[in-house]
Amino acid sequence: KAGVTQTPRYLIKTRGQQVTLSCSPISGHRSVSWYQQTPGQGLQFLFEYFSETQRNKGNFPGRFSGRQFSNSRSEMNVSTLELGDSALYLCASSGDYAWETQYFGPGTRLLVL
Amino acid sequence: DAKTTQPPSMDCAEGRAANLPCNHSTISGNEYVYWYRQIHSQGPQYIIHGLKNNETNEMASLIITEDRKSSTLILPHATLRDTAVYYCIVRVNTGNQFYFGTGTSLTVIP
């Protein structure tokens, strides 16, 4: 079974721009969660989508948003990029139930200049 | 979710067992203990999880104390490829999100 895939793997943007990252979950998984990882803050939960609806949300500003499509693929968008948004963005997929194990993708490394 | 405490770093000789401790003294009855590892900024890799019984799979064993306030991840025969940051996470089975701490950086020495 193919794992979680994320595109693009690397991205360079400038302050003020916006960016869209994509995540394709493991086949059959309907939950997709997004995380941000930085050296200073570690791994932090952004939000989770299930069946095209946001089910859980972390403590990030509204510039961070996401959506999920009917095939469970998910995108996250960051608007008005700031230097501090430079990070590794990870997505994880799991089955229908909250107790099921999450499997992570390789991440998208975003650099904001 | 309960917080976890892990030593920031550990070394282990190649071929020996690596025992990684985790303290989760405020764990609740419905919280699971999960272990993930992250190799050099790749995505975290699932290792094992458990509720109260000890668990074993092809990668590792998880030993949870009877009071569930601490646990130990055991890699039975560490290899150089096991060098990674290991995260111990406890989470309730109703919220589909993990809270990662700072983890333990394990270095396997030849």
Side-chain angles (χ1 to χ4, degrees):
Chain A
K1 197 184 266 192
V4 178
T5 58
Q6 292 187 245
T7 56
R9 293 293 312 278
Y10 303 92
L11 207 49
I12 300 175
K13 292 285 188 180
T14 56
R15 278 183 300 174
Q17 287 187 308
Q18 74 164 16
V19 66
T20 299
L21 312 180
S22 179
C23 172
S24 292
I26 291 171
S27 177
H29 284 184
R30 292 200 290 168
S31 169
V32 175
S33 298
W34 288 90
Y35 293 80
Q36 181 197 63
Q37 186 173 29
T38 60
Q41 299 297 320
L43 263 156
Q44 294 185 287
F45 172 77
L46 280 156
F47 33 65
E48 181 225 357
Y49 284 86
F50 176 78
S51 198
E52 302 180 64
T53 302
Q54 188 179 86
R55 187 161 69 172
N56 285 292
K57 187 177 186 305
N59 189 25
F60 277 80
R63 299 186 298 108
F64 293 82
S65 62
R67 60 177 176 168
Q68 187 179 35
F69 303 94
S70 58
N71 62 357
S72 296
R73 189 177 69 85
S74 177
E75 290 181 346
M76 70 162 280
N77 183 277
V78 187
S79 62
T80 319
L81 283 166
E82 301 176 0
L83 295 179
D85 296 332
S86 294
L88 180 66
Y89 289 89
L90 294 154
C91 90
S93 79
S94 65
D96 289 6
Y97 301 101
W99 47 263
E100 295 191 51
T101 300
Q102 290 190 0
Y103 295 92
F104 285 80
T108 294
R109 187 165 294 282
L110 171 66
L111 177 61
V112 181
L113 301 176
Chain B
D1 288 351
K3 290 190 188 295
T4 61
T5 304
Q6 299 177 253
S9 64
M10 293 180 63
D11 292 337
C12 177
E14 189 177 17
R16 303 298 293 267
N19 297 280
L20 292 89
C22 179
N23 183 288
H24 31 80
S25 57
T26 59
I27 193 170
S28 301
N30 60 350
E31 288 185 311
Y32 286 75
V33 180
Y34 278 78
W35 283 83
Y36 281 76
R37 71 181 183 185
Q38 189 173 27
I39 298 173
H40 193 52
S41 291
Q42 295 176 20
Q45 177 189 23
Y46 167 76
I47 301 173
I48 199 167
H49 76 282
L51 183 62
K52 50 179 139 180
N53 298 322
N54 298 338
E55 303 287 345
T56 296
N57 63 20
E58 64 279 4
M59 286 183 68
S61 295
L62 173 61
I63 309 297
I64 303 174
T65 58
E66 193 169 338
D67 63 7
R68 304 209 322 122
K69 293 183 185 300
S70 66
S71 61
T72 301
L73 177 75
I74 302 172
L75 308 177
H77 305 287
T79 71
L80 299 179
R81 287 178 294 181
D82 292 323
T83 293
V85 177
Y86 287 76
Y87 295 98
C88 167
I89 305 154
V90 295
R91 71 151 178 154
V92 67
N93 62 351
T94 56
N96 201 14
Q97 54 193 290
F98 285 100
Y99 291 96
F100 287 78
T102 52
T104 295
S105 178
L106 174 70
T107 301
V108 179
I109 302 168

